[in-house]
Amino acid sequence: MLKTVSSILVPKNAAPLNCSRLASAWWGNIEMGPPDAILGVTEAFKRDTNSKKINLGVGAYRDDVGKPYVLPSVRKAEAMVAEQNLDKEYLGITGLPAFTKASAELAFDSNSQMLKDSRNVTVQGISGTGSLTIGSYFLGKFGGVKEIYLPTPSWGNHTPIFKNGGLHVNSYRYYDPSTCGFDANGAFEDLNAIPAGSIVVFHACAHNPTGVDPKPEQWKEMSEICSKRGLLPYFDMAYQGFASGDIDKDADALRHFVAEGHNVLLSQSFSKNMGLYGERVGAFTVVCADAEEAKRVESQLKIIIRPMYSNPPCNGARIASTILNDAGLRAEWLGEVKGMADRIISMRTQLKDTLAKEGSVRNWSHITDQIGMFCFTGLKPEQVAQLTKDHSVYLTKDGRISVAGLSSGNVDHLAYAMHQVTK
């Protein structure tokens, strides 16, 4: 006679199992997690009824009337993809080949000798976050020293991504609050003290969250330190073209390191420079010693990706690939990304000038010295709180603003508010 599981495990005289109570006990010890800081800013903004309210927390581009912007080149690429009536079959584990090739050429330059020698492995990732995650798992599995160093501060997602990959997260000095600029001496000193074999993360351009980028000669110094100390540079490039408006200028630091012999790692995102936020388009690259090593690395990246998400989505990669590989669309896109960068640069200038017109005597030159989507204003937490309470201006507590959220219609209000809380 067959016995049920309950008759085997439960004594005859025991009280009947309370399945409902047992089921509810599985997750009873889970604590409430902290809310996302940026999403919290957005929620507070939505509840505000002030007609002059401004949301400067979200890192997404807006046009001069505050609306999301879909690039015309993206619309055209979408139509071209649709006309091909392509199927929805799985991509390979490493993604769309036409996209990964074009991504590498965008980052390293199509004339790169490294690319010609087939020393790179470039795989498609789920935008920047997913590409960094691939990198973190790769380093956690194959990196000799599990120590990784981030600039202080760095993008908030960097720390959990690299910790989840099994790395020990450390930091090096980067931002100087006293100048709202780059702490070159602090960075050089800390990099010189990092143990050999460690990984160092660099923001290729438009540092997030500060908007502070090293000068070319400072990048050269850091390249020399990494060579001397035997450090592995890992570039995170989320804003190529979006920072200065020039895709080559924004890739200068990365390309210099490669030219100097560094076998870098690179994560790319196309969220900002193509406005493909929801399409989640990105790439991860390992630069290897030779083509044979690249094949071995690729085989291991496939093993990492397969159980993670099996293969990446096709639609966004097809859009990006169409833009990068069609000469006419590429030229149009380059003009559009420059237009977005120029608008942000213009808003920086307008904010600085309007603060002066308001009567502020503070030095706001860091607003225009910094670059890219974000600006570290130098405002203290109590001033940020006052900005929000008295003027309905929403930003993160560290004083970071998304310059993309500024427009000709709200910059005067922001300048007035900033002057009020800093005079």
Side-chain angles (χ1 to χ4, degrees), residues 93-307:
I93 295 174
T94 58
L96 185 68
F99 166 72
T100 54
K101 181 177 184 292
S103 295
E105 291 176 347
L106 181 70
F108 298 104
D109 187 70
S110 58
N111 293 317
S112 165
Q113 188 59 49
M114 179 272 294
L115 295 183
K116 292 178 180 179
D117 292 339
S118 301
R119 289 173 46 212
N120 68 300
V121 179
T122 301
V123 300
Q124 185 180 332
I126 313 297
S127 198
T129 302
S131 301
L132 286 160
T133 300
I134 297 170
S136 74
Y137 277 73
F138 176 74
L139 290 169
K141 189 173 183 179
F142 297 105
V145 177
K146 308 299 183 187
E147 305 293 331
I148 190 164
Y149 288 77
L150 305 177
T152 304
S154 196
W155 181 45
N157 241 1
H158 277 151
T159 293
I161 286 172
F162 290 121
K163 281 186 175 179
N164 288 345
L167 302 174
H168 303 127
V169 178
N170 309 278
S171 62
Y172 63 92
R173 282 173 285 177
Y174 185 90
Y175 176 74
D176 184 352
S178 66
T179 63
C180 297
F182 179 50
D183 183 1
N185 291 333
F188 299 161
E189 184 178 344
D190 286 357
L191 291 173
N192 271 307
I194 293 176
S198 299
I199 307 120
V200 180
V201 172
F202 295 113
H203 297 225
C205 61
H207 180 274
N208 179 4
T210 69
V212 173
D213 284 356
K215 294 180 173 60
E217 60 271 19
Q218 293 167 332
W219 278 118
K220 291 178 181 178
E221 177 70 17
M222 290 192 287
S223 173
E224 291 175 7
I225 293 172
C226 288
S227 292
K228 181 178 65 177
R229 297 291 305 159
L231 306 177
L232 176 59
Y234 190 155
F235 280 87
D236 184 4
M237 187 157 65
Y239 299 94
Q240 186 181 4
F242 198 90
S244 68
D246 184 331
I247 58 170
D248 295 317
K249 182 178 180 180
D250 290 349
D252 271 349
L254 169 70
R255 294 175 184 178
H256 175 76
F257 272 65
V258 173
E260 290 300 302
H262 294 283
N263 289 347
V264 305
L265 304 179
L266 169 68
S267 288
Q268 291 170 269
S269 168
F270 289 85
S271 292
K272 307 299 191 299
N273 59 9
M274 286 191 179
L276 297 174
Y277 302 98
E279 297 288 356
R280 313 309 294 145
V281 185
F284 171 67
T285 294
V286 182
V287 175
C288 301
D290 52 42
E292 189 275 332
E293 181 178 276
K295 290 179 181 178
R296 287 187 280 112
V297 168
E298 182 180 38
S299 72
Q300 293 296 337
L301 287 175
K302 288 180 179 179
I303 292 171
I304 289 171
I305 293 169
R306 181 71 170 105

Side-chain angles (χ1 to χ4, degrees), residues 338-392:
K338 185 178 187 306
M340 291 190 291
D342 286 349
R343 195 188 85 76
I344 288 177
I345 292 169
S346 171
M347 294 318 305
R348 288 180 177 276
T349 301
Q350 287 185 53
L351 177 58
K352 178 186 171 185
D353 291 349
T354 308
L355 278 162
K357 290 177 183 177
E358 286 290 339
S360 178
V361 294
R362 289 170 60 110
N363 180 6
W364 295 104
S365 60
H366 58 276
I367 293 176
T368 50
D369 290 342
Q370 296 171 12
I371 194 169
M373 180 171 283
F374 300 109
C375 171
F376 248 35
T377 60
L379 296 176
K380 297 178 173 58
E382 59 271 20
Q383 293 170 325
V384 170
Q386 190 179 350
L387 262 185
T388 301
K389 179 177 179 291
D390 296 344
H391 304 283
S392 295

